[in-house]
């Protein structure tokens, strides 16, 4: 991070870069509007949409979006460009991407302990990956905006009552009554505010030395002392500290670049009015930037050529992720690649594959072959979570009899192992992994070193949507 553009999550001091971004808020843009093949921030409205809420009050939605458009950006174009460069390096095998965080953030989860715990586990996992893989690691959090989720069913029925499905706190509430489940446009502002608070806290932690690589022991959570991998992890942290001190002895001065690490944000760009409201021009640069996050991704359910999501994201300058799975055909994938990255720029497009351990060997090779034949420049990332979801019935606790989603640790691990092997056989590069995880001691995924069973899920099952690896499982996964 020797150059300003490479320093991520800076403190809120108004550097020249921030000044350029904030200047946009007070001065109108008078230069020619830049367009990508007829694209505009609102052109997605002419296409078919998927997974969009039915807003009851269009006037309130317009008012909330107008407020969002006037508020300061959450990230800067300089940070976005820095990430794009690092994604290109990962695609070339020079770097590894660790993307992880909550399945869906919640408004009541915007509190310091929860945020710090997520930051800690990503730091610890990246520490393990750096030591074991001998490559630089880029950390991308599923936070500061991951407030919306797609749903398989538009409605949920309990007894005689049928209501809108819970779509994440950005859209509606979890409580099963009409007021909570009615999509509320005011929640867009609440999501923005909590995203800003989360980013501010993370930036402050990193800027204050929370992520100092000289002291990785500071990242330990309380229950690391009970982990079966405690001794191995602590040995690794000692080795890293010794290596840094050796480098500083040779250099004769502190290795300042190692005192802090960089973090980026990502979320699924699901609710398009929210994304459009925070998409804008910035001074001295061409194009439009979605300044709600560094890297939005298009979910598996909305990755359809020609639809509204592809139309919106093809026009912004951010790096874009696309989820692909067993239902993705080679022709469909190539059509999306061409739409989202027609000039074949490195670092622009990340393909996040999610098949499940029982289907990856059958489905992934053909997609790799198709992309290689097209000579498309993409970064491949493995999401071993979403294809391995199962439903079980809780046998004990206050939720006894309830059906919940879970994932087996062994299935998650074997999908990653297969992904590495398949890419190796195809002379391709698997440049990253994508996890749903938490820094808390939840019981949502079974297996791991402690052998968590289905009967133990009820002990601390907290996720509102999908199951997450807990702290110990996440660290074990990185080490394995």
């Amino acid at each position: 991070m020797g150059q300003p553009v490479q320093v991520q999550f800076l403190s809120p001091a108004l550097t020249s870069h921030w000044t350029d971004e904030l200047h946009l808020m007070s001065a109108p843009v008078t230069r020619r509007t830049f367009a990508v093949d007829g694209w505009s921030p609102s052109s997605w409205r002419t296409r078919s949409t998927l997974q969009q809420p039915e807003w009851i009050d269009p006037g309130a939605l317009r008012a909330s979006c107008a407020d969002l458009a006037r508020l300061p950006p959450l990230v800067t174009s300089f940070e976005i460009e820095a990430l794009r460069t690092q994604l290109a390096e990962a695609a070339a095998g020079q770097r590894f991407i660790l993307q992880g965080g909550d399945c869906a953030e919640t408004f009541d989860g915007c509190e310091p302990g929860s945020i710090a715990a997520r930051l800690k586990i990503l730091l610890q996992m990246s520490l393990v990956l750096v030591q074991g893989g001998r490559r630089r690691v880029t950390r991308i959090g599923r936070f500061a905006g991951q407030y919306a989720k797609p749903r398989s069913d538009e409605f949920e029925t309990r007894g005689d009552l049928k209501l809108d499905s819970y779509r994440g706190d950005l859209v509606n509430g979890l409580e099963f009554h009409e007021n909570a489940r009615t999509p509320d446009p005011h929640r867009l502002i609440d999501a923005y505010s909590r995203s800003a608070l989360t980013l501010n806290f993370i930036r402050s932690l990193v800027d204050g030395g929370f992520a100092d690589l000289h002291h990785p022991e500071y990242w330990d959570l309380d229950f690391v002392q009970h982990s079966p991998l405690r001794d191995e992890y602590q040995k690794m942290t000692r080795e890293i500290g010794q290596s840094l001190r050796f480098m500083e002895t040779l250099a004769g001065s502190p290795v300042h670049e190692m005192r802090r690490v960089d973090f980026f944000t990502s979320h699924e760009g699901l609710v398009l009015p929210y994304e459009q409201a925070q998409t804008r021009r910035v001074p001295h640069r061409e194009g439009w930037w979605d300044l709600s996050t560094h890297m939005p991704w298009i979910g598996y359910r909305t990755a359809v050529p020609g639809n509204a999501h592809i139309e919106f994201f093809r026009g912004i300058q951010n790096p874009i992720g696309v989820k692909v799975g067993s239902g993705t055909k080679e022709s469909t994938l190539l059509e999306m690649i061409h739409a989202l990255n027609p000039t074949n720029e490195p670092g622009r497009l990340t393909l996040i594959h999610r098949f499940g351990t029982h289907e990856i060997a059958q489905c992934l090779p053909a997609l790799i072959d198709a992309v290689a034949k097209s000579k498309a420049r993409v970064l491949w990332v493995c999401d071993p979570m979403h294809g391995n979801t199962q439903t079980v019935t809780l046998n004990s606790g206050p939720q006894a009899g309830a059906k919940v989603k879970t994932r087996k640790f062994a299935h998650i691990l074997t999908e990653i192992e297969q992904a590495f092997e398949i890419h190796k056989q195809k002379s391709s590069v698997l440049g990253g992994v994508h996890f749903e995880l938490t820094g808390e001691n939840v019981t949502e995924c079974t297996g791991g070193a402690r052998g968590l069973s289905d009967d133990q899920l009820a002990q601390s099952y907290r996720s509102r949507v999908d199951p997450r690896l807990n702290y110990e499982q996440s660290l074990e996964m990185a080490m394995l």
Side-chain angles (χ1 to χ4, degrees), residues 147-215:
Y147 286 110
K149 290 292 290 184
R151 302 315 304 262
S152 300
D153 298 313
E154 186 175 353
F155 299 100
E156 180 181 354
T157 301
R158 299 183 189 179
D160 295 331
L161 186 58
K162 180 180 179 181
L163 299 175
D164 287 87
S165 292
Y166 171 65
R167 293 181 176 271
D169 281 6
L170 184 144
V171 176
N172 56 4
L174 181 64
E175 299 80 9
F176 195 73
H177 56 77
E178 187 171 0
N179 286 341
R181 290 297 180 93
T182 300
D184 180 3
H186 295 99
R187 286 178 170 267
L188 303 184
I189 304 298
D190 291 338
Y192 166 90
S193 299
R194 283 169 170 77
S195 296
L197 291 169
T198 300
L199 277 173
N200 182 67
F201 185 53
I202 291 174
R203 284 179 167 129
S204 298
L205 286 174
V206 173
D207 196 51
F210 179 88
D212 187 346
L213 291 181
H214 291 77
H215 300 285

Side-chain angles (χ1 to χ4, degrees), residues 45-301:
R45 296 178 181 276
T46 65
R47 308 296 180 92
S48 61
T49 59
L50 296 169
Q51 295 288 335
Q52 299 302 289
E54 291 291 334
W55 304 102
I56 303 301
D57 188 346
L61 176 62
R62 287 192 296 270
S64 290
C65 290
D67 286 344
L68 283 174
R70 287 191 293 267
L71 291 170
L74 295 176
V75 301
T76 73
S77 62
F78 299 93
E79 293 173 330
I80 291 170
E81 283 195 336
L83 174 58
R84 188 163 172 163
T85 297
Q86 294 187 25
L87 294 172
E89 292 172 352
Q94 301 167 1
R95 182 181 288 273
F96 196 75
I97 304 300
L98 173 62
Q99 186 175 13
D102 268 325
C103 161
E105 293 178 284
T106 61
F107 289 170
D108 58 13
C110 183
E111 53 89 21
S114 176
I115 296 170
R118 279 177 280 165
L119 193 62
K120 285 179 180 180
I121 186 56
L122 284 175
L123 285 167
Q124 289 181 302
M125 291 179 73
S126 66
L127 186 72
V128 171
L129 294 173
V130 168
Q131 180 76 352
R134 296 293 189 260
R135 275 189 283 177
R136 294 169 295 173
V137 172
T138 294
R139 305 152 193 88
I140 305 176
R142 285 176 56 114
F143 48 51
Q146 182 59 14
Y147 286 110
K149 290 292 290 184
R151 302 315 304 262
S152 300
D153 298 313
E154 186 175 353
F155 299 100
E156 180 181 354
T157 301
R158 299 183 189 179
D160 295 331
L161 186 58
K162 180 180 179 181
L163 299 175
D164 287 87
S165 292
Y166 171 65
R167 293 181 176 271
D169 281 6
L170 184 144
V171 176
N172 56 4
L174 181 64
E175 299 80 9
F176 195 73
H177 56 77
E178 187 171 0
N179 286 341
R181 290 297 180 93
T182 300
D184 180 3
H186 295 99
R187 286 178 170 267
L188 303 184
I189 304 298
D190 291 338
Y192 166 90
S193 299
R194 283 169 170 77
S195 296
L197 291 169
T198 300
L199 277 173
N200 182 67
F201 185 53
I202 291 174
R203 284 179 167 129
S204 298
L205 286 174
V206 173
D207 196 51
F210 179 88
D212 187 346
L213 291 181
H214 291 77
H215 300 285
E217 68 273 13
Y218 293 169
W219 306 344
D220 287 352
L221 298 174
D222 291 340
F223 47 93
V224 73
Q225 299 302 321
H226 307 292
S227 171
L229 297 170
R230 178 193 61 187
D231 293 341
E232 187 175 352
Y233 172 73
Q234 291 180 342
K235 177 184 176 183
M236 188 174 293
T237 62
R238 288 195 300 270
E239 290 175 350
I240 289 176
Q242 292 168 359
S243 298
L244 282 174
R245 287 188 289 273
F246 177 71
M247 291 171 59
E248 291 177 337
T249 299
L250 292 179
S253 61
V255 184
H256 296 290
E257 290 79 3
M258 293 292 105
R259 293 192 181 277
R260 56 188 298 161
V261 296
D262 56 334
F263 266 89
F264 299 94
T265 67
S266 66
H267 65 247
E268 180 176 355
L270 184 63
V271 179
L272 293 177
Y274 180 81
E275 304 300 327
Q276 179 189 339
Q278 297 183 72
T279 297
R280 58 196 70 179
R281 303 288 306 279
V282 301
H284 315 305
R285 292 168 183 264
E286 287 190 334
W288 294 82
W289 304 76
D290 183 348
L291 300 180
S292 71
T293 187
H294 297 111
M295 179 185 172
W297 76 81
I298 302 171
Y300 182 57
R301 291 185 177 92

Side-chain angles (χ1 to χ4, degrees), residues 353 355-365 382 415 418-419 422:
H353 54 71
F355 295 103
T357 189
H358 301 301
E359 295 193 12
I360 185 172
Q362 178 183 353
C363 300
L364 178 57
C382 176
E415 179 164 359
Q418 290 181 79
I422 292 168

